[in-house]
Coordinates of all heavy atoms in Angstrom, one line a residue:
I1290 N 0.8 -1.3 0.0 CA 0.0 0.0 0.1 C 0.9 1.3 0.1 O 0.4 2.2 -0.6 CB -1.0 0.0 1.2 CG1 -2.0 -1.2 0.9 CG2 -1.6 1.3 1.4 CD1 -3.3 -1.0 1.6
S1291 N 2.1 1.2 0.6 CA 3.0 2.4 0.6 C 3.4 2.8 -0.7 O 3.3 4.0 -1.0 CB 4.1 2.2 1.5 OG 4.9 1.1 1.0
N1292 N 3.6 1.9 -1.6 CA 3.9 2.4 -3.0 C 2.7 3.1 -3.7 O 2.9 4.1 -4.4 CB 4.2 1.2 -3.7 CG 5.6 0.7 -3.6 OD1 6.4 1.3 -3.0 ND2 5.9 -0.6 -4.0
L1293 N 1.4 2.5 -3.4 CA 0.2 3.1 -4.1 C 0.1 4.5 -3.5 O -0.3 5.4 -4.3 CB -1.0 2.3 -3.8 CG -1.0 1.0 -4.6 CD1 -2.2 0.0 -4.1 CD2 -1.2 1.1 -6.1
K1294 N 0.3 4.7 -2.2 CA 0.2 6.1 -1.6 C 1.2 7.0 -2.1 O 1.0 8.1 -2.4 CB 0.3 5.9 -0.1 CG -0.8 5.3 0.7 CD -0.6 5.4 2.2 CE -1.7 4.7 2.9 NZ -1.4 4.6 4.3
Q1295 N 2.6 6.5 -2.4 CA 3.5 7.2 -3.0 C 3.2 7.7 -4.4 O 3.4 8.9 -4.8 CB 4.8 6.4 -3.0 CG 6.0 7.3 -3.5 CD 7.3 6.5 -3.5 OE1 7.3 5.3 -3.7 NE2 8.4 7.1 -3.3
I1296 N 2.7 6.8 -5.2 CA 2.2 7.1 -6.6 C 1.1 8.1 -6.5 O 1.0 9.2 -7.2 CB 1.7 5.8 -7.2 CG1 3.0 5.0 -7.6 CG2 1.1 6.3 -8.6 CD1 2.5 3.6 -7.9
Q1297 N 0.1 7.9 -5.6 CA -1.1 8.9 -5.4 C -0.6 10.3 -5.1 O -1.0 11.2 -5.7 CB -2.0 8.3 -4.4 CG -3.2 9.2 -4.2 CD -4.2 8.6 -3.3 OE1 -3.8 8.2 -2.2 NE2 -5.5 8.7 -3.6
G1298 N 0.4 10.4 -4.2 CA 0.8 11.7 -3.7 C 1.6 12.3 -4.9 O 1.5 13.5 -5.1
A1299 N 2.3 11.6 -5.7 CA 3.2 12.1 -6.7 C 2.1 12.7 -7.9 O 2.4 13.7 -8.5 CB 4.1 11.1 -7.4
V1300 N 1.1 11.9 -8.1 CA 0.2 12.4 -9.0 C -0.5 13.6 -8.6 O -0.7 14.6 -9.4 CB -0.9 11.3 -9.4 CG1 -2.1 11.7 -10.1 CG2 -0.3 10.1 -10.1
E1301 N -0.9 13.7 -7.3 CA -1.5 15.0 -6.8 C -0.5 16.2 -6.9 O -1.0 17.3 -7.2 CB -2.0 14.7 -5.4 CG -3.1 13.7 -5.3 CD -3.5 13.4 -3.8 OE1 -2.8 13.8 -2.9 OE2 -4.4 12.5 -3.7
Q1302 N 0.8 15.9 -6.6 CA 1.7 17.0 -6.7 C 1.9 17.5 -8.1 O 2.0 18.6 -8.4 CB 3.0 16.5 -6.2 CG 3.1 16.3 -4.7 CD 3.0 17.5 -3.9 OE1 3.7 18.6 -4.3 NE2 2.3 17.6 -2.9
A1303 N 1.9 16.6 -9.1 CA 2.0 16.8 -10.5 C 0.8 17.8 -11.0 O 0.9 18.7 -11.6 CB 2.2 15.7 -11.4
K1304 N -0.3 17.3 -10.5 CA -1.6 18.1 -10.8 C -1.5 19.5 -10.3 O -1.9 20.5 -10.9 CB -2.9 17.4 -10.3 CG -3.1 16.2 -11.2 CD -4.4 15.5 -10.7 CE -4.8 14.4 -11.6 NZ -6.0 13.7 -11.2
M1305 N -1.1 19.6 -9.1 CA -1.0 21.0 -8.4 C 0.2 21.9 -9.1 O 0.0 23.0 -9.2 CB -0.6 20.8 -6.9 CG -1.7 20.4 -6.1 SD -1.5 20.6 -4.4 CE -0.2 19.3 -4.0
G1306 N 1.0 21.2 -9.7 CA 2.0 21.8 -10.6 C 1.6 22.1 -12.0 O 2.4 22.7 -12.8
G1307 N 0.4 21.9 -12.4 CA -0.1 22.2 -13.7 C -0.2 21.2 -14.7 O -0.7 21.4 -15.8
V1308 N 0.0 20.0 -14.3 CA -0.1 18.7 -15.2 C -1.5 18.2 -15.2 O -1.9 17.6 -14.0 CB 1.1 17.6 -15.1 CG1 0.9 16.6 -15.9 CG2 2.4 18.2 -15.0
A1309 N -2.3 18.4 -16.1 CA -3.8 17.9 -16.0 C -3.9 16.5 -15.9 O -4.7 16.0 -15.0 CB -4.4 18.3 -17.2
T1310 N -3.2 15.7 -16.7 CA -3.3 14.2 -16.6 C -1.8 13.6 -16.6 O -1.2 13.4 -17.6 CB -4.0 13.6 -17.8 OG1 -5.3 14.4 -18.0 CG2 -4.2 12.1 -17.6
P1311 N -1.2 13.5 -15.3 CA 0.1 13.1 -15.2 C 0.3 11.7 -15.7 O -0.4 10.7 -15.7 CB 0.3 13.1 -13.7 CG -0.7 14.0 -13.1 CD -1.9 13.8 -14.0
S1312 N 1.5 11.5 -16.4 CA 1.9 10.1 -16.8 C 3.1 9.7 -16.0 O 3.6 10.4 -15.2 CB 2.4 10.3 -18.3 OG 3.6 11.0 -18.4
W1313 N 3.6 8.6 -16.2 CA 4.7 8.1 -15.4 C 5.9 9.0 -15.6 O 6.6 9.3 -14.7 CB 5.1 6.6 -15.9 CG 4.1 5.6 -15.5 CD1 3.3 4.9 -16.3 CD2 3.8 5.1 -14.1 NE1 2.5 4.0 -15.5 CE2 2.7 4.2 -14.1 CE3 4.3 5.5 -12.9 CZ2 2.3 3.6 -13.1 CZ3 3.8 5.0 -11.8 CH2 2.8 4.0 -11.9
N1314 N 6.2 9.5 -16.8 CA 7.2 10.5 -17.1 C 7.1 11.8 -16.4 O 8.1 12.5 -16.2 CB 7.3 10.7 -18.7 CG 7.8 9.4 -19.4 OD1 8.4 8.6 -18.9 ND2 7.2 9.4 -20.7
D1315 N 5.9 12.0 -16.0 CA 5.7 13.3 -15.2 C 6.0 13.2 -13.9 O 6.3 14.1 -13.2 CB 4.2 13.8 -15.3 CG 3.9 14.2 -16.7 OD1 4.7 14.9 -17.4 OD2 2.8 13.9 -17.2
I1316 N 6.1 11.9 -13.2 CA 6.1 11.8 -11.7 C 7.4 11.0 -11.4 O 7.7 11.0 -10.3 CB 4.9 11.1 -11.2 CG1 4.7 9.7 -11.6 CG2 3.6 12.0 -11.4 CD1 3.6 8.9 -10.9
I1317 N 8.0 10.2 -12.4 CA 9.1 9.5 -11.9 C 10.4 9.9 -12.8 O 10.4 10.0 -14.0 CB 8.8 8.0 -12.2 CG1 7.8 7.5 -11.3 CG2 10.1 7.1 -12.0 CD1 7.3 6.0 -11.6
G1318 N 11.5 10.0 -11.9 CA 12.8 10.4 -12.5 C 13.6 11.1 -11.4 O 13.2 11.5 -10.4
S1319 N 14.9 11.4 -11.7 CA 15.8 12.0 -10.7 C 15.3 13.3 -10.3 O 15.8 13.7 -9.3 CB 17.2 11.9 -11.4 OG 17.2 12.7 -12.5
D1320 N 14.7 14.1 -11.1 CA 14.2 15.4 -10.8 C 12.7 15.5 -10.6 O 12.1 16.6 -10.7 CB 14.7 16.4 -11.9 CG 14.0 16.1 -13.3 OD1 13.5 14.9 -13.5 OD2 14.0 17.0 -14.2
K1321 N 12.1 14.4 -10.4 CA 10.6 14.3 -10.2 C 10.2 14.0 -8.8 O 11.0 14.0 -7.9 CB 10.0 13.3 -11.2 CG 10.4 13.5 -12.7 CD 9.8 14.6 -13.2 CE 10.1 15.1 -14.6 NZ 10.5 14.4 -15.7
F1322 N 9.0 13.6 -8.7 CA 8.4 13.4 -7.3 C 8.8 12.1 -6.8 O 9.0 11.9 -5.5 CB 6.9 13.5 -7.3 CG 6.5 14.8 -7.8 CD1 5.9 15.0 -9.1 CD2 6.5 16.0 -7.1 CE1 5.5 16.2 -9.6 CE2 6.1 17.2 -7.6 CZ 5.6 17.3 -8.9
I1323 N 8.9 11.0 -7.5 CA 9.5 9.7 -7.2 C 10.8 9.5 -8.0 O 10.8 9.6 -9.1 CB 8.3 8.6 -7.6 CG1 7.2 8.9 -6.8 CG2 9.0 7.3 -7.2 CD1 5.9 8.0 -7.3
K1324 N 11.8 9.1 -7.2 CA 13.2 9.2 -7.9 C 13.3 7.7 -8.6 O 13.9 7.7 -9.7 CB 14.2 9.2 -6.9 CG 14.2 10.5 -6.1 CD 14.2 11.6 -6.9 CE 14.2 12.9 -6.2 NZ 13.7 14.1 -6.9
V1325 N 12.8 6.6 -8.1 CA 13.0 5.2 -8.6 C 11.6 4.7 -8.8 O 10.7 4.7 -7.9 CB 13.8 4.3 -7.8 CG1 14.0 3.1 -8.4 CG2 15.2 5.0 -7.6
T1326 N 11.3 4.1 -10.0 CA 10.0 3.3 -10.2 C 9.7 2.4 -9.2 O 10.5 1.4 -8.9 CB 9.9 2.7 -11.6 OG1 10.3 3.6 -12.6 CG2 8.7 2.1 -11.9
P1327 N 8.5 2.5 -8.4 CA 8.2 1.5 -7.4 C 7.8 0.2 -8.2 O 7.2 0.1 -9.1 CB 6.9 2.2 -6.7 CG 6.5 3.3 -7.5 CD 7.5 3.5 -8.5
T1328 N 8.1 -0.8 -7.4 CA 7.8 -2.2 -7.8 C 6.8 -3.0 -6.8 O 7.0 -2.7 -5.7 CB 9.0 -3.1 -8.1 OG1 9.8 -3.1 -7.0 CG2 9.9 -2.6 -9.2
C1329 N 6.0 -3.6 -7.4 CA 5.1 -4.3 -6.4 C 5.8 -5.5 -5.8 O 6.5 -6.2 -6.4 CB 4.0 -5.0 -7.4 SG 2.9 -6.1 -6.5
P1330 N 5.5 -5.7 -4.4 CA 6.1 -6.7 -3.8 C 5.6 -8.1 -4.2 O 6.2 -9.1 -3.9 CB 5.8 -6.4 -2.3 CG 4.8 -5.4 -2.3 CD 4.8 -4.7 -3.5
G1331 N 4.5 -8.0 -4.8 CA 4.0 -9.3 -5.4 C 4.5 -9.4 -6.8 O 5.7 -9.2 -7.1
T1332 N 3.6 -9.8 -7.7 CA 3.9 -10.0 -9.1 C 3.2 -8.9 -10.0 O 3.2 -9.1 -11.2 CB 3.6 -11.2 -9.6 OG1 2.2 -11.7 -9.4 CG2 4.4 -12.3 -8.8
G1333 N 2.5 -7.9 -9.4 CA 1.7 -7.1 -10.2 C 2.4 -5.8 -10.8 O 3.6 -5.6 -10.6
T1334 N 1.7 -5.2 -11.6 CA 2.2 -3.8 -12.1 C 1.2 -2.7 -11.7 O 0.0 -3.0 -11.5 CB 2.2 -3.9 -13.6 OG1 1.0 -4.3 -14.1 CG2 3.2 -5.0 -14.0
Y1335 N 1.7 -1.6 -11.5 CA 0.9 -0.4 -11.1 C 0.4 0.3 -12.3 O 1.1 0.4 -13.4 CB 1.7 0.5 -10.3 CG 2.3 0.0 -9.0 CD1 3.5 -0.2 -8.6 CD2 1.2 -0.5 -8.0 CE1 4.0 -0.8 -7.5 CE2 1.7 -1.1 -6.8 CZ 3.1 -1.2 -6.5 OH 3.5 -1.7 -5.4
S1336 N -0.8 0.9 -12.1 CA -1.4 1.8 -13.1 C -1.8 3.1 -12.4 O -2.1 3.1 -11.3 CB -2.6 1.1 -13.8 OG -3.6 0.9 -12.8
L1337 N -1.7 4.1 -13.2 CA -2.1 5.5 -12.7 C -3.6 5.7 -12.7 O -4.3 5.0 -13.5 CB -1.4 6.6 -13.6 CG 0.1 6.6 -13.6 CD1 0.6 7.6 -14.5 CD2 0.6 6.9 -12.2
P1338 N -4.1 6.6 -11.9 CA -5.5 6.9 -11.8 C -6.0 7.5 -13.1 O -5.2 8.2 -13.8 CB -5.7 7.9 -10.7 CG -4.3 8.2 -10.2 CD -3.3 7.4 -10.8
N1339 N -7.2 7.1 -13.5 CA -7.8 7.6 -14.8 C -8.3 8.9 -14.7 O -8.4 9.7 -15.6 CB -8.9 6.8 -15.2 CG -8.4 5.3 -15.5 OD1 -7.3 5.2 -16.2 ND2 -9.1 4.3 -15.3
D1340 N -8.8 9.3 -13.4 CA -9.4 10.7 -13.2 C -9.2 11.1 -11.8 O -8.6 10.4 -10.9 CB -10.8 10.8 -13.7 CG -11.7 9.7 -13.0 OD1 -11.5 9.5 -11.8 OD2 -12.5 9.1 -13.6
D1341 N -9.8 12.2 -11.4 CA -9.8 12.8 -10.1 C -10.4 11.8 -8.9 O -10.2 12.0 -7.8 CB -10.2 14.1 -9.9 CG -9.4 15.2 -10.7 OD1 -8.2 14.8 -10.9 OD2 -9.9 16.2 -11.1
T1342 N -11.3 10.9 -9.4 CA -12.1 10.1 -8.5 C -11.5 8.8 -8.3 O -11.9 7.9 -7.5 CB -13.5 10.0 -8.9 OG1 -13.6 9.3 -10.0 CG2 -14.2 11.4 -9.0
D1343 N -10.4 8.5 -9.1 CA -9.8 7.2 -9.1 C -8.5 7.1 -8.3 O -7.9 8.1 -8.0 CB -9.6 6.8 -10.6 CG -9.2 5.3 -10.9 OD1 -9.6 4.5 -10.0 OD2 -8.8 5.0 -11.9
N1344 N -8.1 6.0 -7.9 CA -6.8 5.8 -7.2 C -5.9 4.9 -8.0 O -6.4 4.2 -8.9 CB -7.0 4.9 -5.9 CG -7.8 5.7 -4.8 OD1 -7.5 7.0 -4.6 ND2 -8.5 5.1 -4.0
P1345 N -4.5 5.0 -7.8 CA -3.6 4.1 -8.5 C -4.0 2.7 -8.2 O -4.5 2.5 -7.0 CB -2.3 4.5 -8.0 CG -2.5 5.4 -6.8 CD -3.9 5.9 -6.9
K1346 N -3.7 1.7 -9.1 CA -4.1 0.5 -8.8 C -2.8 -0.6 -9.1 O -1.9 -0.2 -9.7 CB -5.2 0.0 -9.8 CG -6.5 0.7 -9.5 CD -7.6 0.3 -10.3 CE -8.9 0.9 -10.0 NZ -9.0 2.3 -9.9
C1347 N -2.9 -1.7 -8.6 CA -2.0 -2.8 -8.8 C -2.8 -4.0 -9.4 O -3.9 -4.3 -8.9 CB -1.4 -3.2 -7.4 SG -0.1 -4.6 -7.7
S1348 N -2.1 -4.6 -10.4 CA -2.8 -5.7 -11.0 C -2.7 -7.0 -10.3 O -3.4 -7.9 -10.7 CB -2.1 -5.9 -12.4 OG -0.8 -6.4 -12.3
S1349 N -1.9 -7.1 -9.3 CA -1.9 -8.3 -8.5 C -3.1 -8.8 -7.8 O -3.8 -8.0 -7.2 CB -0.6 -8.3 -7.5 OG -0.4 -9.5 -6.9
S1350 N -3.4 -10.0 -7.7 CA -4.5 -10.5 -7.0 C -4.0 -11.5 -5.9 O -4.8 -12.3 -5.5 CB -5.5 -11.1 -7.8 OG -5.0 -12.2 -8.6
D1351 N -2.8 -11.3 -5.4 CA -2.3 -12.2 -4.4 C -3.1 -12.0 -3.1 O -3.2 -10.9 -2.5 CB -0.8 -11.8 -4.1 CG -0.1 -12.6 -3.0 OD1 -0.8 -13.5 -2.4 OD2 1.0 -12.4 -2.8
A1352 N -3.7 -13.0 -2.6 CA -4.7 -12.9 -1.5 C -3.9 -12.7 -0.2 O -4.5 -12.1 0.8 CB -5.4 -14.3 -1.4
G1353 N -2.6 -12.8 -0.1 CA -1.9 -12.6 1.0 C -1.4 -11.2 1.2 O -0.8 -10.7 2.2
Y1354 N -1.7 -10.4 0.2 CA -1.2 -9.0 0.2 C -2.1 -8.0 -0.3 O -2.7 -8.2 -1.4 CB 0.2 -8.9 -0.6 CG 0.9 -7.5 -0.5 CD1 1.6 -7.1 0.6 CD2 0.7 -6.6 -1.5 CE1 2.2 -5.9 0.7 CE2 1.2 -5.4 -1.5 CZ 2.1 -5.1 -0.3 OH 2.6 -3.8 -0.3
V1355 N -2.6 -7.1 0.4 CA -3.6 -6.1 -0.1 C -3.0 -5.1 -1.0 O -2.0 -4.5 -0.9 CB -4.2 -5.3 1.1 CG1 -5.2 -4.3 0.6 CG2 -4.8 -6.3 2.1
H1356 N -3.6 -5.1 -2.3 CA -3.0 -4.3 -3.3 C -4.0 -3.1 -3.8 O -4.1 -2.9 -5.0 CB -2.8 -5.2 -4.7 CG -1.7 -6.2 -4.3 ND1 -0.5 -5.9 -4.7 CD2 -1.8 -7.4 -3.8 CE1 0.3 -7.0 -4.4 NE2 -0.5 -7.9 -3.8
A1357 N -4.6 -2.5 -2.8 CA -5.5 -1.4 -3.2 C -5.6 -0.5 -2.1 O -5.5 -0.8 -0.8 CB -7.0 -2.0 -3.5
L1358 N -5.8 0.9 -2.4 CA -6.0 1.9 -1.4 C -7.5 1.8 -1.1 O -8.4 1.5 -1.9 CB -5.7 3.3 -2.1 CG -4.1 3.6 -2.2 CD1 -3.9 4.9 -3.0 CD2 -3.4 3.5 -1.0
P1359 N -7.8 2.3 0.1 CA -9.2 2.3 0.5 C -10.0 3.4 -0.3 O -9.3 4.3 -0.8 CB -9.2 2.7 2.0 CG -7.7 2.9 2.3 CD -6.8 2.6 1.1
T1360 N -11.2 3.1 -0.7 CA -11.9 4.1 -1.3 C -12.7 5.0 -0.4 O -13.0 4.7 0.7 CB -13.0 3.4 -2.3 OG1 -13.7 2.6 -1.5 CG2 -12.3 2.5 -3.4
A1361 N -12.9 6.2 -0.8 CA -13.7 7.2 0.0 C -15.2 6.8 0.1 O -15.7 6.3 -0.9 CB -13.6 8.6 -0.5
S1362 N -15.8 6.9 1.2 CA -17.1 6.5 1.4 C -18.1 7.8 1.3 O -17.7 8.8 1.7 CB -17.5 5.9 2.7 OG -16.6 4.7 2.8

């Protein structure tokens, strides 16, 4: 979950910096919000949120590890 929170924070920072729809290139790099691409501790891959109501996601469905941020109620 910490990687998903890190991705979510970077996306929010990029949006506050004027990037309407941040891509991986906007948030990851030596001069960006995340220095090194996060990797799933399972076997999944991360995807960026599609819009302001979405959260970053992980494709892994490993039952032993939670791969999703909580949703707002």
Side-chain angles (χ1 to χ4, degrees):
I1290 292 206
S1291 64
N1292 285 344
L1293 292 169
K1294 287 181 181 179
Q1295 183 181 32
I1296 294 166
Q1297 183 179 40
V1300 167
E1301 290 171 3
Q1302 290 290 318
K1304 286 182 178 182
M1305 287 191 295
V1308 180
T1310 307
S1312 70
W1313 291 111
N1314 291 334
D1315 296 316
I1316 65 169
I1317 297 176
S1319 62
D1320 61 341
K1321 305 288 174 32
F1322 305 104
I1323 301 174
K1324 304 302 178 207
V1325 178
T1326 303
T1328 56
C1329 173
T1332 58
T1334 56
Y1335 295 119
S1336 61
L1337 296 176
N1339 294 323
D1340 57 40
D1341 290 337
T1342 63
D1343 199 15
N1344 286 326
K1346 293 183 177 48
C1347 179
S1348 65
S1349 182
S1350 60
D1351 180 358
Y1354 184 81
V1355 178
H1356 293 264
L1358 289 174
T1360 57
S1362 303

